[in-house]
Amino acid sequence: MKRSTGAIALSVAAALALSGCAAGGTTDSGAGSADAVIEIGSLYEPQNLSNVDGGGQGVTEAFTGNVYEGLYRLSDDGEVEPLLAASNTVSEDGLNYTFTLQDGVTFHSGDPLTAADVKSSIERVVAEDSQSARKSSFAVISDIQTPDDKTVAITLSEPSISFIYNLSYIWVVNDTAKDLKTSEDGTGPYTLGDWKRGSSLSLDRYSDYWGDAASNKEVVFNYFTDATALSNALVTDQIDIITSVQSPDQLSQFTDNPDFVVSDGDSTTKELLAFNDRVAPFDQVAVRKAVYSAIDTEKLLTSIWGDYGTLIGSMVPPTDPWYEDLTQVNPYDPELSKTLLAEAGLPNGFEFTLDTPSYDPHPAVAEFLQSELAKVGITVNINTISADEWYSKVFKERDFEATLQEHVNDRDVVWYGNPDFYWGYDNPQVTQWVSEAEQAASTDEQTAKLKLVNEQIAADAASVWLYLYPQIVVANSDISGYGVNGLNSQFFVSKIVRS
């Protein structure tokens, strides 16, 4: 009988933590103590330990590649690499994929990895109650067969040029594991130690890991609800590294200081003002464009991040192949905003509620938007909600008018082709282009189609893409071996060492 492992140790919550998510590459991993305990600081505590049950950005950061692995993984440089898949073959028509699994892989419970585990892990993501943002990407799967324990055969209903890439998002989980919101049974280099809610989550090196053993004995993710407190913890040696700095005002104490290394990596995290495009008045393109042109995004970015971060005019960051600079499609122009409001039949403006996550930097962004929009007659009522409330109220129930949220994934412009996604954007032409891009015979064809998507959602102001977060990692100078790009909020820890 298979058994689940990694039950959490619950403590009295000091506070319900908040979730959501060098110039690139990974810092060199040098020699260091294999028994080191690495203390990591983060603002993103998981809501739970499942990536299909609203675990949020925090569970991706702590568990992806560390506790759970997939058939493939997305490296810190954005390359798709085989992991639990030793090899694969694809039929000429692109509809049949056959994967052979690695030898000698065991789950943390001691059970061997089998094809049945891979099958059930995919089914877990596409299940009706799954909250995985990538769920719709696997709708093309028509059949999964497991002819033997080492072989997984997947049949698609139509070609999917991103299929291997999308598989990097699927955690392979023991098919008999239970209580995955509070425990784990993965194949990664670490097992779950203790999760002290509101405080920390520890990972212990898995002694029977099938690959290269972790370079450290234990990693502890320490959670903070305040960005300044997080920075102060690094200064006072409570932690060794910050996964993503959220308080740029604090950076001056680390830059040009030999005790610390500041790395400015590539980011995929976008700050969005997301409309519920299903409800009035945001069902009108003119209204959405009016809101966009009323916001001085350059001033906002400077007020939040100083000299860091990037302005973007759509959902696509520069690291995606179909990036274009669309920042002038919806320019800052309050007079244009007023004209568009009048054309939409709202010459005196309107009022709406902005559901705002309570963690940084959303409250400050909300206050900035409230001030900017008031200048064109739009009244913003800020409703501050927790991360848990956001998942239930906004993402699941779609009970909102507009909201702020950081979207951490790369290549996620395709979600605008899904009318059932939480923001409700519904343009049949965009849906068709997304489908055609996925069935493309070449990456050039895929890129051309997704550039059309990118241009159309900008023209429709489907959302307001306020800015691209910087990805700033700060660490003690004796720490190395960590990634700096933070793609999709993952943070691999197995190569981190202390010199």
Side-chain angles (χ1 to χ4, degrees):
M1 177 183 294
K2 290 188 175 184
R3 60 193 185 278
S4 179
T5 191
I8 63 172
L10 298 175
S11 70
V12 177
L16 180 62
L18 310 161
S19 104
C21 308
T26 303
T27 60
D28 291 335
S29 179
S33 171
D35 292 326
V37 176
I38 306 299
E39 300 284 348
I40 295 175
S42 173
L43 289 174
Y44 301 110
E45 181 172 12
Q47 299 306 295
N48 60 63
L49 302 183
S50 168
N51 68 341
V52 300
D53 293 295
Q57 180 175 344
V59 77
T60 299
E61 181 180 73
F63 273 20
T64 295
N66 300 323
V67 172
Y68 287 112
E69 299 175 309
L71 292 176
Y72 296 85
R73 79 164 196 163
L74 190 67
S75 74
D76 192 58
D77 292 322
E79 298 297 322
V80 178
E81 303 171 338
L83 195 54
L84 295 179
S87 64
N88 81 84
T89 60
V90 186
S91 63
E92 189 172 341
D93 61 6
L95 297 179
N96 298 289
Y97 287 73
T98 303
F99 302 93
T100 301
L101 303 183
Q102 297 278 7
D103 291 323
V105 180
T106 61
F107 289 100
H108 299 152
S109 59
D111 297 318
L113 168 69
T114 68
D117 299 305
V118 176
K119 181 176 186 290
S120 70
S121 296
I122 296 172
E123 292 170 343
R124 180 171 171 262
V125 169
V126 301
E128 184 176 351
D129 61 350
S130 168
Q131 295 181 41
S132 171
R134 291 285 173 177
K135 179 178 178 178
S136 63
S137 300
F138 298 100
V140 295
I141 295 177
S142 61
D143 187 53
I144 306 175
Q145 295 292 323
T146 55
D148 57 58
D149 283 350
K150 293 292 297 298
T151 307
V152 182
I154 300 177
T155 301
L156 307 184
S157 59
E158 58 189 34
S160 173
I161 195 171
S162 302
F163 186 60
I164 295 294
Y165 167 83
N166 289 331
L167 285 174
S168 69
Y169 285 86
I170 291 184
W171 292 350
V172 174
V173 183
N174 189 329
D175 66 352
T176 61
K178 305 296 182 183
D179 303 320
L180 290 172
K181 290 184 181 180
T182 56
S183 64
E184 60 85 8
D185 200 4
T187 63
Y190 296 90
T191 63
L192 175 64
D194 291 337
W195 183 18
K196 301 175 182 178
R197 287 185 184 265
S199 177
S200 64
L201 183 152
S202 63
L203 305 178
D204 300 326
R205 182 169 53 207
Y206 179 40
S207 59
D208 292 325
Y209 181 56
W210 65 277
D212 294 335
S215 299
N216 50 71
K217 178 182 179 182
E218 181 184 6
V219 172
V220 181
F221 284 83
N222 298 273
Y223 296 113
F224 297 79
T225 59
D226 178 78
T228 300
L230 174 58
S231 297
N232 290 341
L234 183 59
V235 172
T236 57
D237 288 329
Q238 297 176 56
I239 59 175
D240 298 305
I241 186 170
I242 297 175
T243 62
S244 181
V245 171
Q246 299 298 317
S247 179
D249 291 341
Q250 303 295 315
L251 279 174
S252 59
Q253 61 193 320
F254 302 120
T255 54
D256 299 321
N257 184 332
D259 293 332
F260 302 99
V261 175
V262 178
S263 303
D264 188 4
D266 293 328
S267 171
T268 59
T269 302
K270 289 82 61 177
E271 177 76 354
L272 264 66
L273 167 57
F275 308 115
N276 188 340
D277 293 356
R278 304 174 184 87
V279 303
F282 298 124
D283 56 348
Q284 298 185 63
V285 172
V287 172
R288 300 196 300 261
K289 292 179 77 70
V291 171
Y292 212 138
S293 287
I295 301 168
D296 187 343
T297 53
E298 184 173 0
K299 182 179 178 182
L300 169 63
L301 179 60
T302 301
S303 69
I304 300 293
W305 286 106
D307 295 332
Y308 293 91
T310 306
L311 291 179
I312 52 175
S314 77
M315 191 68 166
V316 180
T319 50
D320 284 355
W322 29 88
Y323 169 76
E324 295 178 279
D325 183 355
L326 300 175
T327 51
Q328 293 307 307
V329 174
N330 295 288
Y332 172 58
D333 187 339
E335 292 306 313
L336 173 60
S337 176
K338 293 176 184 177
T339 298
L340 289 167
L341 287 173
E343 291 176 356
L346 298 168
N348 299 316
F350 64 98
E351 183 175 346
F352 73 94
T353 297
L354 179 62
D355 287 323
T356 303
S358 57
Y359 54 93
D360 291 336
H362 302 304
V365 172
E367 291 179 2
F368 182 93
L369 298 183
Q370 185 180 55
S371 174
E372 290 286 277
L373 294 176
K375 299 172 186 176
V376 298
I378 300 174
T379 300
V380 178
N381 299 311
I382 299 173
N383 178 40
T384 303
I385 57 177
S386 68
D388 272 343
E389 290 173 312
W390 191 92
Y391 273 104
S392 59
K393 183 178 187 294
V394 177
F395 190 81
K396 293 175 63 176
E397 299 169 12
R398 286 79 187 275
D399 177 22
F400 74 106
E401 293 178 285
T403 188
L404 291 174
Q405 186 54 255
E406 75 274 23
H407 279 261
V408 303
N409 293 298
D410 67 340
R411 305 192 184 193
D412 53 4
V413 69
V414 296
W415 293 340
Y416 285 94
N418 178 11
D420 294 326
F421 202 64
Y422 80 88
W423 47 52
Y425 174 73
D426 187 0
N427 183 320
Q429 180 63 78
V430 167
T431 300
Q432 180 181 337
W433 282 332
V434 168
S435 177
E436 290 172 350
E438 193 55 31
Q439 297 178 58
S442 68
T443 54
D444 286 346
E445 183 183 345
Q446 178 193 32
T447 297
K449 291 293 183 182
L450 290 180
K451 281 187 175 181
L452 292 175
V453 170
N454 197 20
E455 292 161 4
Q456 189 62 58
I457 63 172
D460 288 345
S463 304
V464 177
W465 302 279
L466 295 166
Y467 57 78
L468 185 70
Y469 281 59
Q471 172 57 27
I472 305 170
V473 179
V474 183
N476 284 321
S477 57
D478 64 347
I479 299 296
S480 62
Y482 50 89
V484 300
N485 289 323
L487 300 182
N488 302 333
S489 288
Q490 59 193 19
F491 195 77
F492 303 136
V493 299
S494 67
K495 302 302 181 184
I496 301 178
V497 295
R498 176 180 289 109
S499 60

